[in-house]
Amino acid sequence: MSSPHYRPPQQARSRESLQKVLTSAEHVLSAGGLDDFTVAAVAEHAGVSVGAIYRRFPGKEQLLEAVKDQLLETLETDVREALSSAAPDLRSVVVAFTGAMADAFAGHTRAFPELLSVQSAEGAERGLRALDVVQRAFVDAARPHLEPDAGDAVRFAARSVIGACVHRAASCQAWPDGLGWDQWASRTADMALAYLGAEV
């Protein structure tokens, strides 16, 4: 992982220590939200000194950005892997895409809304880049199973799934829909397939 928000570690032990800090940071954020998110709380959970975190990160804003960057990298990787292992038909591709999106957000239902609420301009740009990556991955996987002129429809379907997923993650605590993430993924896949079937 490479990020402008901290000095990247060079040694395996240092990478493990950084991962421990980022995992603890996400835990603290998920458990108590931004109000309880402090470098001291992260250090305590990770079992490291506050100084060890400050040697890596200038402040808690950079630590938050690093957590977000890691989650977005995981999202990109998980979507690519799910699409590459999907069976070669449109339904399998759409189901793999919605499932991967749901899985990425399901494990971080408290962290994502908190991170989305404090985005810097740079953080928002990184988020948009990640969404573009997953959109392109879906379009590339779905396009061989559709008519050659279906590009606009495929991109619209991708953006609709992505937008619905991000919105659900951002609002599910305050505005629950009564569905599990797996149910959401299944229904969203059916909706995307119905749209694509009607448009192409």
Side-chain angles (χ1 to χ4, degrees):
M1 180 186 356
S2 174
S3 173
H5 305 293
Y6 60 91
R7 294 195 322 270
Q10 302 301 315
Q11 299 177 341
R13 184 174 173 191
S14 186
R15 286 193 295 272
E16 290 172 11
S17 177
L18 173 61
Q19 186 56 54
K20 188 176 182 182
V21 168
L22 293 177
T23 300
S24 293
E26 185 185 342
H27 174 84
V28 171
L29 182 65
S30 296
L34 288 170
D35 291 341
D36 293 339
F37 187 86
T38 64
V39 171
V42 173
E44 181 179 352
H45 187 273
V48 301
S49 70
V50 170
I53 294 178
Y54 277 119
R55 280 192 291 277
R56 180 82 58 200
F57 300 95
K60 80 173 190 176
E61 291 76 17
Q62 291 77 20
L63 181 54
L64 283 167
E65 290 292 345
V67 171
K68 178 181 175 184
D69 197 53
Q70 178 172 264
L71 292 177
L72 291 173
E73 285 188 7
T74 300
L75 170 66
E76 292 168 357
T77 300
D78 290 354
V79 167
R80 283 193 197 109
E81 289 178 356
L83 290 171
S84 69
S85 62
D89 61 81
L90 184 61
R91 170 167 284 282
S92 296
V93 167
V94 172
V95 167
F97 180 61
T98 56
M101 290 293 298
D103 288 347
F105 281 83
H108 313 283
T109 52
R110 181 73 190 267
F112 267 118
E114 296 290 342
L115 290 167
L116 291 170
S117 71
V118 294
Q119 290 193 97
S120 64
E122 184 180 325
E125 184 179 320
R126 172 65 182 95
L128 290 173
R129 280 198 318 271
L131 299 182
D132 186 57
V133 166
V134 297
Q135 174 183 287
R136 280 187 283 115
F138 173 72
V139 169
D140 290 347
R143 193 172 272 165
H145 310 293
L146 294 165
E147 297 298 323
D149 62 349
D152 287 344
V154 177
R155 282 187 293 277
F156 183 82
R159 284 178 178 250
S160 296
V161 171
I162 292 166
C165 189
V166 172
H167 179 270
R168 186 171 196 266
S171 64
C172 64
Q173 299 292 327
W175 195 35
D177 58 15
L179 300 175
W181 276 101
D182 56 339
Q183 295 170 302
W184 175 89
S186 176
R187 293 185 188 188
T188 302
D190 288 343
M191 187 169 60
L193 284 162
Y195 167 75
L196 289 170
E199 288 295 310
V200 297

